[in-house]
Amino acid sequence: MQEILSTLPQVLLDGLTLGAIYAVVALGYTMVYGILELINFAHGEIFMAGAFIGTALLFGFVDIGLALNWVTLVLVLIFASLLTGVIGVGIERVAYRPLRTAPKLIPLISAVGISFILQDVVRFVAEYKTGNYIVTGQTIFENKIAIPAFSVGGYEVHASAIKSNTLIVIGIAVLIMIVLDIFVNRTKWGIAMRAVAQDRATAALMGINVNKVISLTFFIGSAIGGATGVLYAQQYATINPFIGFILGLKAFTAAVLGGIGNIRGAMFGGLLIGLLEVFAAANLGILTGGALGAEYKDVFAFIILILVLIFKPAGLFGQAVKEKV
Amino acid sequence: MKKLTSLFSNSRTFQSVLILLIVLCASTSLYLMDKSVTSFLLLLCSFLLLYYTTFSNWIKWGVGALIAFAVIPVAASGGPSQQVYMEVAVMAGIYIAMALGLNIVVGFAGLLDLGFVAFFALGAYVYGIFASPQAQALFQNSSIFPLGGESFWLFIIIGALVAALFGIILGVPVLRVKGDYLAIVTLGFGEIIRIVFNNLDKPVNITNGALGISGIPQPKLFGFTFTQSSHIYFVVLIVLGFVIYAVRRFEDSKLGRSWKAIREDEIASQAMGIPLVKTKLWAFALGASFSGMMGVLFAAKNQFVDPTSFTLLESITILVMVILGGMGSVPGVILGAAIISILNLQILTEITLFLTQNLHVPEVFSPAKMQRLLFGLVLVGIAIYRPQGLIPAKNKTYKIADLKAKLTQKKGKSKETTTSI
Amino acid sequence: MSMLTATSITKHFGGLTAVKDVSINFEKGSITAVIGPNGAGKTTFFNMITGIYSPDGGEIHLDQKTITGLKPNFIAEKGIARTFQNIRLFKEMSVLENVMVGMHIHLNSGFLGTLFSTPKVRAEEEQARYEAYSLLEYVGLADWVNHQAKNLPYGAQRKLEIARALATHPKVLLLDEPAAGMNPKETTELTDLILQIRDDKQITIILIEHDMKLVMRISEQIYVLDHGQLIAQGVPEEIRNNPNVIEAYLGKSALSV
Ligand SMILES: Nc1ncnc2c1ncn2[C@@H]1O[C@H](COP(=O)(O)OP(=O)(O)O)[C@@H](O)[C@H]1O
Ligand SMILES: [Mg+2]
């Protein structure tokens, strides 16, 4: 108990950071699922591509002698999200749109295929350029802010530290979520998006250009996924073409947890999964007396997924919907 | 070209001559030359050709068995370097059987399983642990371990049962959820199994962790040890033969029809009295059991297992085989699995070797590394342009005349006994 | 004697009450029509009887035994079969196989029997094939045996759904808009078929239908739903002249004109 409590501040901070990343990636899954009922397996890879694009850009900036500061970060974020947004729209056009009336299995297979293609293309480029597909990039904000040790109620709490980058990750993630929430609920296009999600045929009858709305959904989802990739690379420095796969799975878990299609739910689910995972990684060893260690943290996330699907398939807040017969 | 195909489909003499010619040419050149990928492939193509002949099924199976059991092993016995071909044939056989298992789940029952390799891993580890010195370490005060190579035959069945059991354990909760979530859950399950095997060296050393289990005995029968790939080849053929037989039986049975019905429409199936979860569980368990069996074979052949053989890439590889060949089509899946495994094991490596050694192309361009790209392209391409695959699934056709004749005969009878339908 | 009874069954979808407090008794061997404007709750009523939705309130009895809330496959086993308003055939399967799926509950082949293809299993399969074929002949689809269900003309697909439902050997047959999309000739054939089914097999038939000519010709009793509620019931003559029914279909203004 003492041990768990003493590391709690660090665990909470790390969990929040990871959770913020899951939350934003989960948004992409949830938006696409809401509108197409398709698990966009490639979304994790879009995130990964964003991380690589951001890293490549920063290398480029260094090459031409630009100083790395918050201006460059903003530039990189904008550029990477535009590019991943376009990739997302392209994927939808090429690999999903022709399959809209096909049996449900077929677009899923196409999505798995796209995700493999992206992984390998990025791997190839990275390996071609750097000789290795594992890349360690430039981090802009490295200084740490220390939180001193203190004690509550007789319990000793260890000192913890946050990278200033952590604050940036959390800040930008929260900003993205707020802007998206406003967009979806208040703007004309956002409302069109919700209309298409609810009933595509009727929305079309009301004069909404369904294809445009779907493209827009993919653009936004992918753009914020890509931006999150940039933040991830900043936070954890080392990236590889396969980071999107497991992370995507967990983000999807977050989306299901929050009720798939539910944007605010996805944010909540992401934070929860992030916190749980970091907590498990830090404390599984302690809780199981050393039998299981941090290497089981991914297992932990999957078990949550399975439990949620069994007991609360509509998510923590959702209501079960039945297919119309 | 059109003339040629019509000639082929119309003349049995032409069919026989062509196949005979191909088999003869390919096998002699394979035998005489030290290494000839082309003749090996040509030899395998004779199976495909055989499938398209118009002979009766009995003849097709007979000739196919003759080529598989006699011609190929003899042709590939010309020199030590030709063990490579036997090795490829063994792996192709293992993959074909697994793809047929996955085809039950994905092709017949319409359930997307992205973690299928987990069952393969289970089979491999079950044999690996109990037949190797690993078990001795595990049960220190027991003298029956390690079980050794004689137990292999029993373990083929045990591997199938254990995999089926896990299929059911996973399926009972998961098959209740909506269809497309299943893909993600199985994906997770595949990863869990791999992570668990990777870490089960503590607190008790069960799987020896990332180091893997070595010293797994080769199959033994009446004192004979199956040491070479060319020995294992016959074991694989027999197991594969059984798998094909079983799949064929189930395809046109009460159970097979229920799988397909569920794939087409769950609600209508239920309204016809089909229990959803139970029927899906059968698909899951049966598919898994094939995979488990092949896992045992794989462990015995390699004499070694470690978690790196059971990654997501493997699961997707098997899926690609099914999708490429044609979901729900047994001949299609066999073809798809053969193409992909030979591509993986033989052709890609040959091309890579050629490029890097002869043309000095940098290693980063080697096609052997681009499996993911290749598989991805196959998946997307098939999904968009040919979702039914290379050899589309066919429904069994019934002879209307027979049905009619039998019916009138029955009607005549039923007038006397007054039992009507 | 009553075959099927619904006792004040209710179904909500969120805020919407699709079926409210409906009680109907269906006599054995009768043909009954359930009519009402679109969205009245007719299909939902069928869905509750067949277990696809479980009612939020009320009871359903088949042959005096409760079937409320049972799963659809158990209800099919107990003897209720149906067709669907928006055709739900097994599209990629052949016409004969569609009917053979309907026989599912009457086939006993087990796992091992199938694997080893025992004589018993072979005989059962053969028997199932002939029965399926005879049902296809019965509904007039004998020429389509090997076609994929999705390639059948629309009217034939509706008939195939009926054949598939009959294959379960039902006591009660529910037909959800069986004549929808049929031309007059097909509708006449269908009318004869429904009557024939009842007479040959003593099956209790309940149908939802908008074609009033068909409804008036074959139903012994008619029930009218509107906004989830039962607003009228009676023999065809009574329903034809019931002002409530005319109002439900045509709106209030229709009466004053
Ligand atoms: N699964 C469902 N979820 C939500 N609403 C439903 C569902 N099924 C039916 N409804 C609604 O219930 C009402 C009655 O529908 P239905 O029974 O199909 O009418 P009918 O068959 O008489 O045309 C309609 O308003 C319909 O939209
Ligand atoms: Mg209706």
Side-chain angles (χ1 to χ4, degrees), chain A residues 103 319 322-325, chain C residues 43 47 52-53 84 88:
Chain A
Q319 264 202 339
K322 258 207 135 168
E323 186 183 351
K324 260 192 200 178
V325 179
Chain C
T43 299
N47 284 340
I52 289 169
Y53 302 152
F84 296 88
R88 284 178 170 269

Side-chain angles (χ1 to χ4, degrees), chain B residues 86-102 116-117 120-121 124 152 156 229 232-233 235-241 243 287 289-302 309-310 314 318 321 333-334 337-338 341 345:
Chain B
M86 284 283 107
E87 164 92 20
V88 172
V90 165
M91 283 315 290
I94 290 180
Y95 277 117
I96 290 172
M98 276 207 283
L100 285 170
L102 183 62
F116 196 63
V117 80
F120 185 53
F152 168 82
I156 290 214
S229 284
I232 304 264
Y233 173 82
V235 183
V236 170
L237 267 190
I238 290 168
V239 177
L240 179 61
V243 166
S289 71
F290 292 169
S291 200
M293 264 195 288
M294 294 338 261
V296 173
L297 253 164
F298 178 77
K301 173 191 138 313
N302 284 0
S309 309
F310 311 110
E314 287 293 312
I318 306 167
M321 294 168 174
V333 169
I334 295 176
S341 43
L345 299 164

Side-chain angles (χ1 to χ4, degrees), chain C residues 120-142:
Chain C
K120 211 173 116 216
V121 167
R122 275 203 303 257
E124 184 181 84
E125 280 286 303
E126 199 179 292
Q127 177 63 33
R129 260 197 311 273
Y130 297 132
E131 188 182 338
Y133 180 73
S134 79
L135 279 170
L136 286 175
E137 205 175 46
Y138 188 78
V139 302
L141 294 177

Side-chain angles (χ1 to χ4, degrees), chain A residues 33 119 127 260 295 309, chain B residues 180-181 185 202 369 372-373:
Chain A
Y33 196 94
Q119 282 180 11
E127 210 168 318
I260 195 105
E295 61 275 8
L309 286 180
Chain B
D180 44 359
Y181 285 0
V185 172
K202 62 183 183 309
K369 278 189 161 185
R372 281 167 193 263
L373 181 68

Side-chain angles (χ1 to χ4, degrees), chain A residues 150-201:
Chain A
F150 59 97
S151 69
V152 249
Y155 284 115
E156 186 73 15
V157 176
H158 289 186
S160 49
I162 20 175
K163 285 199 267 182
S164 48
N165 195 60
T166 305
L167 296 178
I168 292 173
V169 172
I170 296 177
I172 294 180
V174 170
L175 191 71
I176 289 175
M177 293 191 247
I178 292 173
V179 171
L180 184 72
D181 199 78
I182 293 173
F183 173 82
V184 170
N185 289 310
R186 301 278 167 77
T187 67
K188 184 180 130 196
W189 280 104
I191 291 165
M193 244 160 87
R194 287 192 297 156
V196 174
Q198 205 151 65
D199 187 339
R200 201 185 303 164

